[in-house]
Amino acid sequence: MMTRHEIEEELDGLYKDLNFAYNADEETVCRTFNADSKQEYIKTLTEEVDKYEALLEEYNLPEDDGMDYINLQLSQGLPVIRL
């Protein structure tokens, strides 16, 4: 599993390449990235960006381990503070 930092670095690089590809002409994109066409290369980059964005989103999801902490505290005679 990649760390959040590694995912962010990968995304930074992909966004830089994507920006370059959007602003460069067809021949430059094909030559620089050894691609068959500018459109195909942009599509490939966009798919990679989507993949890494999804990985990054997993870090933003709250962790739910399924444990019922309130009942656990009550069963142990601990006070429960509900927010």
Side-chain angles (χ1 to χ4, degrees):
M1 179 95 181
M2 296 177 76
T3 66
R4 181 184 193 100
H5 180 72
E6 290 170 330
I7 294 169
E8 289 171 344
E9 282 184 339
E10 202 61 43
L11 275 170
D12 285 345
L14 289 169
Y15 282 127
K16 286 176 186 173
D17 288 350
L18 197 54
N19 187 46
F20 179 85
Y22 272 123
N23 293 308
D25 60 57
E26 177 92 18
E27 183 181 332
T28 303
V29 171
C30 292
R31 188 175 58 244
T32 303
F33 298 107
N34 193 27
D36 293 331
S37 77
K38 178 178 175 173
Q39 181 179 357
E40 277 300 310
Y41 186 69
I42 289 174
K43 180 180 178 223
T44 300
L45 280 176
T46 303
E47 289 169 357
E48 284 292 302
V49 165
D50 291 344
K51 180 178 93 175
Y52 283 102
E53 288 284 352
L55 286 172
L56 189 60
E57 186 62 31
E58 288 180 25
Y59 280 98
N60 297 330
L61 296 175
E63 289 188 30
D64 181 6
D65 59 8
M67 175 61 79
D68 184 355
Y69 289 100
I70 292 175
N71 280 327
L72 176 63
Q73 288 173 288
L74 291 172
S75 72
Q76 295 176 350
L78 299 172
V80 176
I81 300 172
R82 296 175 195 227
L83 301 175

